[in-house]
Structure formats: structure tokens, C-alpha cells
């Protein structure tokens, strides 16, 4: 007697569950995304990010959806452009892996330029062998001439902005200042702080300078939600 067992359905993988979650979320993303971003492109990027960083597949759905919605509402694209990052980290309080939303250096530039309230904004890292001097006070000045080779270790970072009335503002931070802020991050030893320290340092300087600039409500909100 030959018995035939019923064929069993294969269990869905974590990637299958992740894709199904994104598909369910698609209508809400369409509502939140600005016109310059395409929802299908965002979903493709998220699938790529999940393959690149499998910890995203283990993160709580609530934190993942919240981070992705923030990205959509701000009109910033996660992934290779460096506008923002969705970083999984272990939350000891909830005993779960959660996703942290972080705006990147290029994301801040995009938001501020999009607001149209400044003529120019940028940030640079200063290295040991660069020519660099700055001064605050009644006649503030900043001069930076990068070395063409053998620049040495980073010693400082600064952000500078040109206002629409023609004036300038700048903010300088030492590497120690930057690393103190890094230490307060939820993921100081993984993610962009490890892979893209120079961009995170630039972003940190821009965040500090942004406190003193006439910026739109959208940019002010972005500063407040970054890393919270």
C-alpha cells in the first residue's frame, strides 16, 4: 500500500513577510509622498536595504512603519543617496529590535535648499594638514584651504550658510564635540556613524547651525524628529 502525503505549503520567509508589509503600506505611502518621489521606487529601495541589512527584517513593524512614514512625509529617500537612513538597533527597554530614523547630511542640504530661505549652505571636515582659521566676535571670519594630499586626521568640522540678505553665518565644532553627540546617539557604533563618519560630522555641524538660521517649519520639524 502506497500512501501519498498531502503537499505542505512552505512557510513564508522573513523577506516575504517584509514585502507583504510594504505592499499593505503602499496606499498610505502614496498619500504621504511628495510629487517628486515615486512610491514604487521607494518600495524597491526598501527591499534592497532589507537584503543589505537583514536586521530590518527582525525589527518591530511599528517602528519600521513609523520610520518609513517619516521618510515619506519629509520627502527624503532612504538608501544610497544618503538623504536618510533607517537603522535597526536593540532597544533594551522594549527588548526588541526597533528602527531609528536618521536624516543624513545630504538630506539636510536637500530640505534646507528646498525651503528657498538660504542662498547657500554647506559643511566641510577640516584635517590636520589643512590651512584653517576662524574667529567669532564683532568681526567673525572663517578661512579653510584644504591640503591636496596627506591631509592627516580630522580635527574639526564646520557648517556655513549664506543668507538671502547677503550675510553669512557659520558654526565650528571640534572632533571631540562631534563625538560627544555621537555618543548620545542610539546607534553610535553601527550604521552611518561607522561607515560614513565624515557625512555624519557634517550633518551634526549643520544641525547646530540650523538653530540660528531663519528656516521653514518643515526644516525645523525635521531637526526635531531626527534621531528621536
Amino acid at each position: 500500500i502506497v500512501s501519498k502525503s498531502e503537499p505542505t505549503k512552505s512557510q513564508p520567509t522573513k523577506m516575504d513577510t517584509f514585502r507583504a508589509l510594504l505592499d499593505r503600506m503602499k496606499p498610505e505611502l502614496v498619500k504621504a509622498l511628495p510629487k517628486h518621489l515615486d512610491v514604487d521606487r521607494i518600495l524597491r529601495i526598501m527591499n534592497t536595504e532589507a537584503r543589505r541589512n537583514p536586521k530590518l527584517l527582525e525589527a518591530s513593524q511599528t517602528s519600521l512603519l513609523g520610520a518609513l512614514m517619516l521618510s515619506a512625509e519629509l520627502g527624503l529617500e532612504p538608501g544610497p543617496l544618503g538623504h536618510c537612513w533607517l537603522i535597526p538597533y536593540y532597544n533594551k527597554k522594549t527588548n526588541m529590535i526597533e528602527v531609528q530614523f536618521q536624516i543624513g547630511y545630504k538630506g539636510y542640504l536637500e530640505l534646507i535648499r528646498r525651503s528657498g530661505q538660504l542662498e547657500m549652505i554647506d559643511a566641510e571636515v577640516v584635517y590636520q594638514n589643512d590651512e584653517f582659521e576662524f574667529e567669532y566676535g564683532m568681526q567673525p571670519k572663517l578661512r579653510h584651504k584644504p591640503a591636496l594630499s596627506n591631509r592627516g586626521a580630522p580635527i574639526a568640522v564646520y557648517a556655513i550658510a549664506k543668507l538671502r540678505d547677503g550675510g553669512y553665518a557659520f558654526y565650528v565644532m571640534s572632533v571631540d564635540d562631534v563625538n560627544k553627540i555621537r555618543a548620545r546617539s542610539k546607534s553610535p557604533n553601527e550604521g552611518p556613524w561607522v561607515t560614513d563618519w565624515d557625512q555624519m560630522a557634517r550633518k551634526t555641524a549643520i544641525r547646530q547651525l540650523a538653530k540660528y538660521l531663519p528656516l521653514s517649519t518643515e526644516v525645523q520639524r525635521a531637526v526635531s524628529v531626527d534621531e528621536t
Side-chain angles (χ1 to χ4, degrees), residues 105-106 108-115 117-124 158-163 168-169 202-203 205-207 209-210 213 215 219:
Y105 158 65
K106 293 180 181 178
Y108 269 106
L109 294 184
E110 172 69 17
L111 287 172
I112 292 172
R113 288 168 180 166
R114 196 189 300 163
S115 72
Q117 293 175 289
L118 300 175
E119 290 289 330
M120 178 275 291
I121 186 165
D122 206 352
E124 293 292 340
Y158 66 89
I160 186 168
K162 183 179 181 181
L163 310 179
Y168 283 87
R202 289 185 176 103
K203 175 193 117 169
I206 288 177
R207 282 184 63 186
L209 178 61
L213 298 177
L215 298 175
V219 177

PDB file of all heavy atoms in Angstrom, residues 105-106 108-115 117-124 158-163 168-169 202-203 205-207 209-210 213 215 219:
ATOM      1  N   TYR A 105      23.439  63.907   5.993  1.00  0.00           N
ATOM      2  CA  TYR A 105      23.987  65.216   5.621  1.00  0.00           C
ATOM      3  C   TYR A 105      23.322  65.748   4.344  1.00  0.00           C
ATOM      4  O   TYR A 105      22.853  66.895   4.290  1.00  0.00           O
ATOM      5  CB  TYR A 105      25.501  65.051   5.439  1.00  0.00           C
ATOM      6  CG  TYR A 105      26.181  66.093   4.591  1.00  0.00           C
ATOM      7  CD1 TYR A 105      26.242  67.427   4.989  1.00  0.00           C
ATOM      8  CD2 TYR A 105      26.802  65.738   3.390  1.00  0.00           C
ATOM      9  CE1 TYR A 105      26.895  68.370   4.210  1.00  0.00           C
ATOM     10  CE2 TYR A 105      27.459  66.669   2.614  1.00  0.00           C
ATOM     11  CZ  TYR A 105      27.494  67.988   3.024  1.00  0.00           C
ATOM     12  OH  TYR A 105      28.132  68.915   2.251  1.00  0.00           O
ATOM     13  N   LYS A 106      23.218  64.898   3.326  1.00  0.00           N
ATOM     14  CA  LYS A 106      22.611  65.326   2.068  1.00  0.00           C
ATOM     15  C   LYS A 106      21.111  65.578   2.229  1.00  0.00           C
ATOM     16  O   LYS A 106      20.536  66.398   1.513  1.00  0.00           O
ATOM     17  CB  LYS A 106      22.863  64.280   0.985  1.00  0.00           C
ATOM     18  CG  LYS A 106      24.336  64.157   0.601  1.00  0.00           C
ATOM     19  CD  LYS A 106      24.540  63.115  -0.480  1.00  0.00           C
ATOM     20  CE  LYS A 106      26.012  62.986  -0.845  1.00  0.00           C
ATOM     21  NZ  LYS A 106      26.229  61.928  -1.871  1.00  0.00           N
ATOM     22  N   TYR A 108      19.697  66.915   4.950  1.00  0.00           N
ATOM     23  CA  TYR A 108      19.577  68.272   5.490  1.00  0.00           C
ATOM     24  C   TYR A 108      19.777  69.315   4.390  1.00  0.00           C
ATOM     25  O   TYR A 108      19.041  70.313   4.314  1.00  0.00           O
ATOM     26  CB  TYR A 108      20.594  68.495   6.609  1.00  0.00           C
ATOM     27  CG  TYR A 108      20.053  68.161   7.974  1.00  0.00           C
ATOM     28  CD1 TYR A 108      20.439  67.016   8.644  1.00  0.00           C
ATOM     29  CD2 TYR A 108      19.142  69.001   8.602  1.00  0.00           C
ATOM     30  CE1 TYR A 108      19.939  66.697   9.888  1.00  0.00           C
ATOM     31  CE2 TYR A 108      18.630  68.700   9.847  1.00  0.00           C
ATOM     32  CZ  TYR A 108      19.037  67.552  10.489  1.00  0.00           C
ATOM     33  OH  TYR A 108      18.526  67.234  11.720  1.00  0.00           O
ATOM     34  N   LEU A 109      20.788  69.113   3.541  1.00  0.00           N
ATOM     35  CA  LEU A 109      21.008  70.052   2.442  1.00  0.00           C
ATOM     36  C   LEU A 109      19.776  70.125   1.542  1.00  0.00           C
ATOM     37  O   LEU A 109      19.356  71.208   1.128  1.00  0.00           O
ATOM     38  CB  LEU A 109      22.225  69.634   1.620  1.00  0.00           C
ATOM     39  CG  LEU A 109      23.590  69.686   2.308  1.00  0.00           C
ATOM     40  CD1 LEU A 109      24.679  69.328   1.300  1.00  0.00           C
ATOM     41  CD2 LEU A 109      23.862  71.057   2.907  1.00  0.00           C
ATOM     42  N   GLU A 110      19.188  68.964   1.243  1.00  0.00           N
ATOM     43  CA  GLU A 110      18.007  68.916   0.386  1.00  0.00           C
ATOM     44  C   GLU A 110      16.839  69.685   1.013  1.00  0.00           C
ATOM     45  O   GLU A 110      16.173  70.485   0.344  1.00  0.00           O
ATOM     46  CB  GLU A 110      17.619  67.455   0.139  1.00  0.00           C
ATOM     47  CG  GLU A 110      16.301  67.240  -0.579  1.00  0.00           C
ATOM     48  CD  GLU A 110      16.326  67.681  -2.039  1.00  0.00           C
ATOM     49  OE1 GLU A 110      17.436  67.860  -2.581  1.00  0.00           O
ATOM     50  OE2 GLU A 110      15.238  67.851  -2.613  1.00  0.00           O
ATOM     51  N   LEU A 111      16.581  69.455   2.288  1.00  0.00           N
ATOM     52  CA  LEU A 111      15.462  70.123   2.953  1.00  0.00           C
ATOM     53  C   LEU A 111      15.662  71.634   3.005  1.00  0.00           C
ATOM     54  O   LEU A 111      14.734  72.410   2.748  1.00  0.00           O
ATOM     55  CB  LEU A 111      15.301  69.578   4.374  1.00  0.00           C
ATOM     56  CG  LEU A 111      14.719  68.172   4.511  1.00  0.00           C
ATOM     57  CD1 LEU A 111      14.814  67.706   5.958  1.00  0.00           C
ATOM     58  CD2 LEU A 111      13.268  68.136   4.047  1.00  0.00           C
ATOM     59  N   ILE A 112      16.867  72.051   3.352  1.00  0.00           N
ATOM     60  CA  ILE A 112      17.126  73.485   3.506  1.00  0.00           C
ATOM     61  C   ILE A 112      17.107  74.182   2.150  1.00  0.00           C
ATOM     62  O   ILE A 112      16.517  75.267   2.006  1.00  0.00           O
ATOM     63  CB  ILE A 112      18.469  73.708   4.229  1.00  0.00           C
ATOM     64  CG1 ILE A 112      18.351  73.222   5.682  1.00  0.00           C
ATOM     65  CG2 ILE A 112      18.867  75.176   4.202  1.00  0.00           C
ATOM     66  CD1 ILE A 112      19.667  73.200   6.443  1.00  0.00           C
ATOM     67  N   ARG A 113      17.697  73.577   1.150  1.00  0.00           N
ATOM     68  CA  ARG A 113      17.673  74.177  -0.187  1.00  0.00           C
ATOM     69  C   ARG A 113      16.258  74.223  -0.740  1.00  0.00           C
ATOM     70  O   ARG A 113      15.865  75.167  -1.417  1.00  0.00           O
ATOM     71  CB  ARG A 113      18.595  73.397  -1.125  1.00  0.00           C
ATOM     72  CG  ARG A 113      20.080  73.613  -0.832  1.00  0.00           C
ATOM     73  CD  ARG A 113      20.949  72.627  -1.572  1.00  0.00           C
ATOM     74  NE  ARG A 113      22.367  72.852  -1.290  1.00  0.00           N
ATOM     75  CZ  ARG A 113      23.340  72.002  -1.571  1.00  0.00           C
ATOM     76  NH1 ARG A 113      23.048  70.845  -2.142  1.00  0.00           N
ATOM     77  NH2 ARG A 113      24.598  72.287  -1.280  1.00  0.00           N
ATOM     78  N   ARG A 114      15.470  73.183  -0.450  1.00  0.00           N
ATOM     79  CA  ARG A 114      14.094  73.125  -0.920  1.00  0.00           C
ATOM     80  C   ARG A 114      13.251  74.249  -0.320  1.00  0.00           C
ATOM     81  O   ARG A 114      12.309  74.737  -0.943  1.00  0.00           O
ATOM     82  CB  ARG A 114      13.496  71.765  -0.546  1.00  0.00           C
ATOM     83  CG  ARG A 114      12.214  71.419  -1.285  1.00  0.00           C
ATOM     84  CD  ARG A 114      11.586  70.166  -0.672  1.00  0.00           C
ATOM     85  NE  ARG A 114      12.475  69.000  -0.737  1.00  0.00           N
ATOM     86  CZ  ARG A 114      12.297  67.909   0.002  1.00  0.00           C
ATOM     87  NH1 ARG A 114      11.307  67.856   0.881  1.00  0.00           N
ATOM     88  NH2 ARG A 114      13.130  66.898  -0.120  1.00  0.00           N
ATOM     89  N   SER A 115      13.582  74.670   0.888  1.00  0.00           N
ATOM     90  CA  SER A 115      12.812  75.718   1.554  1.00  0.00           C
ATOM     91  C   SER A 115      13.005  77.078   0.887  1.00  0.00           C
ATOM     92  O   SER A 115      12.163  77.965   1.004  1.00  0.00           O
ATOM     93  CB  SER A 115      13.222  75.816   3.031  1.00  0.00           C
ATOM     94  OG  SER A 115      14.520  76.399   3.164  1.00  0.00           O
ATOM     95  N   GLN A 117      15.010  79.455   1.652  1.00  0.00           N
ATOM     96  CA  GLN A 117      15.230  80.548   2.593  1.00  0.00           C
ATOM     97  C   GLN A 117      16.698  80.940   2.734  1.00  0.00           C
ATOM     98  O   GLN A 117      17.021  81.896   3.426  1.00  0.00           O
ATOM     99  CB  GLN A 117      14.648  80.179   3.956  1.00  0.00           C
ATOM    100  CG  GLN A 117      13.126  80.077   3.916  1.00  0.00           C
ATOM    101  CD  GLN A 117      12.548  79.588   5.221  1.00  0.00           C
ATOM    102  OE1 GLN A 117      12.691  78.427   5.565  1.00  0.00           O
ATOM    103  NE2 GLN A 117      11.899  80.472   5.948  1.00  0.00           N
ATOM    104  N   LEU A 118      17.592  80.183   2.088  1.00  0.00           N
ATOM    105  CA  LEU A 118      19.012  80.496   2.127  1.00  0.00           C
ATOM    106  C   LEU A 118      19.568  80.518   0.706  1.00  0.00           C
ATOM    107  O   LEU A 118      19.088  79.804  -0.173  1.00  0.00           O
ATOM    108  CB  LEU A 118      19.777  79.459   2.954  1.00  0.00           C
ATOM    109  CG  LEU A 118      19.399  79.291   4.422  1.00  0.00           C
ATOM    110  CD1 LEU A 118      20.185  78.134   5.021  1.00  0.00           C
ATOM    111  CD2 LEU A 118      19.646  80.561   5.211  1.00  0.00           C
ATOM    112  N   GLU A 119      20.593  81.326   0.486  1.00  0.00           N
ATOM    113  CA  GLU A 119      21.279  81.328  -0.790  1.00  0.00           C
ATOM    114  C   GLU A 119      22.171  80.097  -0.931  1.00  0.00           C
ATOM    115  O   GLU A 119      22.312  79.524  -2.007  1.00  0.00           O
ATOM    116  CB  GLU A 119      22.139  82.591  -0.924  1.00  0.00           C
ATOM    117  CG  GLU A 119      21.345  83.876  -1.096  1.00  0.00           C
ATOM    118  CD  GLU A 119      20.681  83.974  -2.459  1.00  0.00           C
ATOM    119  OE1 GLU A 119      21.227  83.423  -3.428  1.00  0.00           O
ATOM    120  OE2 GLU A 119      19.609  84.602  -2.537  1.00  0.00           O
ATOM    121  N   MET A 120      22.790  79.675   0.184  1.00  0.00           N
ATOM    122  CA  MET A 120      23.732  78.559   0.147  1.00  0.00           C
ATOM    123  C   MET A 120      23.920  78.011   1.548  1.00  0.00           C
ATOM    124  O   MET A 120      23.851  78.746   2.526  1.00  0.00           O
ATOM    125  CB  MET A 120      25.083  79.049  -0.396  1.00  0.00           C
ATOM    126  CG  MET A 120      26.185  77.979  -0.449  1.00  0.00           C
ATOM    127  SD  MET A 120      27.108  77.780   1.125  1.00  0.00           S
ATOM    128  CE  MET A 120      27.995  79.326   1.204  1.00  0.00           C
ATOM    129  N   ILE A 121      24.116  76.700   1.625  1.00  0.00           N
ATOM    130  CA  ILE A 121      24.511  76.077   2.889  1.00  0.00           C
ATOM    131  C   ILE A 121      25.398  74.882   2.574  1.00  0.00           C
ATOM    132  O   ILE A 121      25.170  74.172   1.583  1.00  0.00           O
ATOM    133  CB  ILE A 121      23.302  75.653   3.749  1.00  0.00           C
ATOM    134  CG1 ILE A 121      23.780  75.155   5.118  1.00  0.00           C
ATOM    135  CG2 ILE A 121      22.455  74.595   3.046  1.00  0.00           C
ATOM    136  CD1 ILE A 121      22.690  75.058   6.152  1.00  0.00           C
ATOM    137  N   ASP A 122      26.424  74.681   3.371  1.00  0.00           N
ATOM    138  CA  ASP A 122      27.319  73.546   3.144  1.00  0.00           C
ATOM    139  C   ASP A 122      28.083  73.270   4.432  1.00  0.00           C
ATOM    140  O   ASP A 122      28.014  74.057   5.396  1.00  0.00           O
ATOM    141  CB  ASP A 122      28.296  73.834   2.007  1.00  0.00           C
ATOM    142  CG  ASP A 122      28.783  72.543   1.332  1.00  0.00           C
ATOM    143  OD1 ASP A 122      28.475  71.457   1.844  1.00  0.00           O
ATOM    144  OD2 ASP A 122      29.459  72.647   0.306  1.00  0.00           O
ATOM    145  N   ALA A 123      28.807  72.176   4.448  1.00  0.00           N
ATOM    146  CA  ALA A 123      29.620  71.815   5.611  1.00  0.00           C
ATOM    147  C   ALA A 123      30.855  71.079   5.122  1.00  0.00           C
ATOM    148  O   ALA A 123      30.819  70.409   4.088  1.00  0.00           O
ATOM    149  CB  ALA A 123      28.824  70.938   6.584  1.00  0.00           C
ATOM    150  N   GLU A 124      31.941  71.202   5.871  1.00  0.00           N
ATOM    151  CA  GLU A 124      33.197  70.564   5.495  1.00  0.00           C
ATOM    152  C   GLU A 124      33.918  70.045   6.740  1.00  0.00           C
ATOM    153  O   GLU A 124      33.777  70.607   7.831  1.00  0.00           O
ATOM    154  CB  GLU A 124      34.121  71.548   4.768  1.00  0.00           C
ATOM    155  CG  GLU A 124      33.630  71.989   3.404  1.00  0.00           C
ATOM    156  CD  GLU A 124      33.651  70.869   2.378  1.00  0.00           C
ATOM    157  OE1 GLU A 124      34.374  69.871   2.594  1.00  0.00           O
ATOM    158  OE2 GLU A 124      32.935  70.997   1.370  1.00  0.00           O
ATOM    159  N   TYR A 158      32.837  72.176  10.166  1.00  0.00           N
ATOM    160  CA  TYR A 158      32.082  73.426  10.239  1.00  0.00           C
ATOM    161  C   TYR A 158      30.955  73.431   9.214  1.00  0.00           C
ATOM    162  O   TYR A 158      31.006  72.750   8.191  1.00  0.00           O
ATOM    163  CB  TYR A 158      32.994  74.638  10.023  1.00  0.00           C
ATOM    164  CG  TYR A 158      33.599  74.750   8.645  1.00  0.00           C
ATOM    165  CD1 TYR A 158      32.941  75.423   7.606  1.00  0.00           C
ATOM    166  CD2 TYR A 158      34.840  74.175   8.355  1.00  0.00           C
ATOM    167  CE1 TYR A 158      33.498  75.518   6.341  1.00  0.00           C
ATOM    168  CE2 TYR A 158      35.405  74.264   7.093  1.00  0.00           C
ATOM    169  CZ  TYR A 158      34.721  74.940   6.088  1.00  0.00           C
ATOM    170  OH  TYR A 158      35.276  75.032   4.835  1.00  0.00           O
ATOM    171  N   ALA A 159      29.925  74.204   9.517  1.00  0.00           N
ATOM    172  CA  ALA A 159      28.831  74.451   8.580  1.00  0.00           C
ATOM    173  C   ALA A 159      28.776  75.945   8.317  1.00  0.00           C
ATOM    174  O   ALA A 159      29.027  76.753   9.223  1.00  0.00           O
ATOM    175  CB  ALA A 159      27.505  73.968   9.165  1.00  0.00           C
ATOM    176  N   ILE A 160      28.464  76.308   7.095  1.00  0.00           N
ATOM    177  CA  ILE A 160      28.400  77.710   6.717  1.00  0.00           C
ATOM    178  C   ILE A 160      27.178  77.932   5.840  1.00  0.00           C
ATOM    179  O   ILE A 160      26.813  77.071   5.038  1.00  0.00           O
ATOM    180  CB  ILE A 160      29.690  78.161   5.992  1.00  0.00           C
ATOM    181  CG1 ILE A 160      29.669  79.672   5.742  1.00  0.00           C
ATOM    182  CG2 ILE A 160      29.917  77.379   4.703  1.00  0.00           C
ATOM    183  CD1 ILE A 160      31.001  80.239   5.308  1.00  0.00           C
ATOM    184  N   ALA A 161      26.531  79.079   6.021  1.00  0.00           N
ATOM    185  CA  ALA A 161      25.332  79.401   5.244  1.00  0.00           C
ATOM    186  C   ALA A 161      25.397  80.849   4.785  1.00  0.00           C
ATOM    187  O   ALA A 161      25.897  81.718   5.502  1.00  0.00           O
ATOM    188  CB  ALA A 161      24.073  79.180   6.084  1.00  0.00           C
ATOM    189  N   LYS A 162      24.909  81.087   3.575  1.00  0.00           N
ATOM    190  CA  LYS A 162      24.750  82.447   3.070  1.00  0.00           C
ATOM    191  C   LYS A 162      23.275  82.801   3.110  1.00  0.00           C
ATOM    192  O   LYS A 162      22.448  82.095   2.521  1.00  0.00           O
ATOM    193  CB  LYS A 162      25.287  82.563   1.642  1.00  0.00           C
ATOM    194  CG  LYS A 162      25.212  83.993   1.100  1.00  0.00           C
ATOM    195  CD  LYS A 162      25.768  84.099  -0.321  1.00  0.00           C
ATOM    196  CE  LYS A 162      25.697  85.539  -0.824  1.00  0.00           C
ATOM    197  NZ  LYS A 162      26.208  85.652  -2.222  1.00  0.00           N
ATOM    198  N   LEU A 163      22.946  83.874   3.819  1.00  0.00           N
ATOM    199  CA  LEU A 163      21.560  84.293   3.973  1.00  0.00           C
ATOM    200  C   LEU A 163      21.091  85.051   2.738  1.00  0.00           C
ATOM    201  O   LEU A 163      21.894  85.557   1.948  1.00  0.00           O
ATOM    202  CB  LEU A 163      21.412  85.159   5.211  1.00  0.00           C
ATOM    203  CG  LEU A 163      22.011  84.584   6.502  1.00  0.00           C
ATOM    204  CD1 LEU A 163      21.827  85.547   7.666  1.00  0.00           C
ATOM    205  CD2 LEU A 163      21.406  83.230   6.826  1.00  0.00           C
ATOM    206  N   TYR A 168      26.452  86.127   6.132  1.00  0.00           N
ATOM    207  CA  TYR A 168      26.911  84.752   6.318  1.00  0.00           C
ATOM    208  C   TYR A 168      26.781  84.356   7.788  1.00  0.00           C
ATOM    209  O   TYR A 168      26.829  85.210   8.693  1.00  0.00           O
ATOM    210  CB  TYR A 168      28.379  84.594   5.904  1.00  0.00           C
ATOM    211  CG  TYR A 168      28.600  84.544   4.415  1.00  0.00           C
ATOM    212  CD1 TYR A 168      28.762  85.717   3.679  1.00  0.00           C
ATOM    213  CD2 TYR A 168      28.638  83.325   3.735  1.00  0.00           C
ATOM    214  CE1 TYR A 168      28.963  85.684   2.302  1.00  0.00           C
ATOM    215  CE2 TYR A 168      28.846  83.285   2.364  1.00  0.00           C
ATOM    216  CZ  TYR A 168      29.001  84.458   1.656  1.00  0.00           C
ATOM    217  OH  TYR A 168      29.200  84.415   0.301  1.00  0.00           O
ATOM    218  N   ALA A 169      26.631  83.060   8.013  1.00  0.00           N
ATOM    219  CA  ALA A 169      26.672  82.503   9.367  1.00  0.00           C
ATOM    220  C   ALA A 169      27.449  81.198   9.308  1.00  0.00           C
ATOM    221  O   ALA A 169      27.381  80.475   8.305  1.00  0.00           O
ATOM    222  CB  ALA A 169      25.256  82.251   9.885  1.00  0.00           C
ATOM    223  N   ARG A 202      29.456  66.316   9.242  1.00  0.00           N
ATOM    224  CA  ARG A 202      28.923  67.479   8.532  1.00  0.00           C
ATOM    225  C   ARG A 202      27.469  67.747   8.945  1.00  0.00           C
ATOM    226  O   ARG A 202      27.066  68.891   9.165  1.00  0.00           O
ATOM    227  CB  ARG A 202      29.001  67.248   7.020  1.00  0.00           C
ATOM    228  CG  ARG A 202      30.411  67.281   6.451  1.00  0.00           C
ATOM    229  CD  ARG A 202      30.340  67.161   4.940  1.00  0.00           C
ATOM    230  NE  ARG A 202      31.645  67.269   4.316  1.00  0.00           N
ATOM    231  CZ  ARG A 202      32.344  66.255   3.848  1.00  0.00           C
ATOM    232  NH1 ARG A 202      31.869  65.011   3.977  1.00  0.00           N
ATOM    233  NH2 ARG A 202      33.517  66.442   3.285  1.00  0.00           N
ATOM    234  N   LYS A 203      26.701  66.661   8.995  1.00  0.00           N
ATOM    235  CA  LYS A 203      25.298  66.801   9.387  1.00  0.00           C
ATOM    236  C   LYS A 203      25.172  67.392  10.774  1.00  0.00           C
ATOM    237  O   LYS A 203      24.336  68.259  11.038  1.00  0.00           O
ATOM    238  CB  LYS A 203      24.607  65.438   9.350  1.00  0.00           C
ATOM    239  CG  LYS A 203      23.174  65.471   9.863  1.00  0.00           C
ATOM    240  CD  LYS A 203      22.647  64.084  10.097  1.00  0.00           C
ATOM    241  CE  LYS A 203      22.323  63.883  11.537  1.00  0.00           C
ATOM    242  NZ  LYS A 203      21.560  62.657  11.808  1.00  0.00           N
ATOM    243  N   ALA A 205      27.216  69.394  12.330  1.00  0.00           N
ATOM    244  CA  ALA A 205      27.509  70.835  12.291  1.00  0.00           C
ATOM    245  C   ALA A 205      26.336  71.614  11.707  1.00  0.00           C
ATOM    246  O   ALA A 205      25.986  72.701  12.201  1.00  0.00           O
ATOM    247  CB  ALA A 205      28.774  71.080  11.478  1.00  0.00           C
ATOM    248  N   ILE A 206      25.701  71.064  10.666  1.00  0.00           N
ATOM    249  CA  ILE A 206      24.548  71.738  10.066  1.00  0.00           C
ATOM    250  C   ILE A 206      23.397  71.819  11.062  1.00  0.00           C
ATOM    251  O   ILE A 206      22.705  72.837  11.166  1.00  0.00           O
ATOM    252  CB  ILE A 206      24.120  71.018   8.776  1.00  0.00           C
ATOM    253  CG1 ILE A 206      25.148  71.275   7.675  1.00  0.00           C
ATOM    254  CG2 ILE A 206      22.743  71.478   8.319  1.00  0.00           C
ATOM    255  CD1 ILE A 206      24.864  70.547   6.380  1.00  0.00           C
ATOM    256  N   ARG A 207      23.187  70.754  11.821  1.00  0.00           N
ATOM    257  CA  ARG A 207      22.119  70.764  12.836  1.00  0.00           C
ATOM    258  C   ARG A 207      22.348  71.860  13.859  1.00  0.00           C
ATOM    259  O   ARG A 207      21.409  72.538  14.279  1.00  0.00           O
ATOM    260  CB  ARG A 207      22.048  69.409  13.546  1.00  0.00           C
ATOM    261  CG  ARG A 207      21.357  68.328  12.766  1.00  0.00           C
ATOM    262  CD  ARG A 207      21.251  67.052  13.571  1.00  0.00           C
ATOM    263  NE  ARG A 207      20.441  67.222  14.760  1.00  0.00           N
ATOM    264  CZ  ARG A 207      20.284  66.301  15.702  1.00  0.00           C
ATOM    265  NH1 ARG A 207      20.922  65.156  15.606  1.00  0.00           N
ATOM    266  NH2 ARG A 207      19.519  66.512  16.732  1.00  0.00           N
ATOM    267  N   LEU A 209      24.157  74.659  13.431  1.00  0.00           N
ATOM    268  CA  LEU A 209      23.989  75.960  12.782  1.00  0.00           C
ATOM    269  C   LEU A 209      22.518  76.263  12.530  1.00  0.00           C
ATOM    270  O   LEU A 209      22.087  77.423  12.632  1.00  0.00           O
ATOM    271  CB  LEU A 209      24.761  75.973  11.460  1.00  0.00           C
ATOM    272  CG  LEU A 209      24.659  77.260  10.625  1.00  0.00           C
ATOM    273  CD1 LEU A 209      25.209  78.457  11.396  1.00  0.00           C
ATOM    274  CD2 LEU A 209      25.377  77.095   9.289  1.00  0.00           C
ATOM    275  N   ALA A 210      21.734  75.220  12.215  1.00  0.00           N
ATOM    276  CA  ALA A 210      20.317  75.416  11.884  1.00  0.00           C
ATOM    277  C   ALA A 210      19.531  76.070  13.017  1.00  0.00           C
ATOM    278  O   ALA A 210      18.521  76.728  12.774  1.00  0.00           O
ATOM    279  CB  ALA A 210      19.683  74.071  11.513  1.00  0.00           C
ATOM    280  N   LEU A 213      19.364  79.806  12.279  1.00  0.00           N
ATOM    281  CA  LEU A 213      19.002  80.263  10.941  1.00  0.00           C
ATOM    282  C   LEU A 213      17.487  80.430  10.793  1.00  0.00           C
ATOM    283  O   LEU A 213      16.713  79.738  11.460  1.00  0.00           O
ATOM    284  CB  LEU A 213      19.490  79.248   9.901  1.00  0.00           C
ATOM    285  CG  LEU A 213      20.999  79.023   9.811  1.00  0.00           C
ATOM    286  CD1 LEU A 213      21.293  77.937   8.788  1.00  0.00           C
ATOM    287  CD2 LEU A 213      21.720  80.310   9.446  1.00  0.00           C
ATOM    288  N   LEU A 215      14.649  79.313   9.231  1.00  0.00           N
ATOM    289  CA  LEU A 215      14.293  78.157   8.414  1.00  0.00           C
ATOM    290  C   LEU A 215      12.793  77.902   8.452  1.00  0.00           C
ATOM    291  O   LEU A 215      12.090  78.318   9.377  1.00  0.00           O
ATOM    292  CB  LEU A 215      15.051  76.919   8.897  1.00  0.00           C
ATOM    293  CG  LEU A 215      16.580  77.000   8.802  1.00  0.00           C
ATOM    294  CD1 LEU A 215      17.204  75.765   9.413  1.00  0.00           C
ATOM    295  CD2 LEU A 215      17.033  77.176   7.364  1.00  0.00           C
ATOM    296  N   VAL A 219      11.691  72.318   7.849  1.00  0.00           N
ATOM    297  CA  VAL A 219      13.068  72.030   8.251  1.00  0.00           C
ATOM    298  C   VAL A 219      13.176  71.951   9.770  1.00  0.00           C
ATOM    299  O   VAL A 219      13.852  71.079  10.316  1.00  0.00           O
ATOM    300  CB  VAL A 219      14.036  73.096   7.699  1.00  0.00           C
ATOM    301  CG1 VAL A 219      15.452  72.826   8.173  1.00  0.00           C
ATOM    302  CG2 VAL A 219      13.996  73.112   6.177  1.00  0.00           C
TER     303      VAL A 219
END
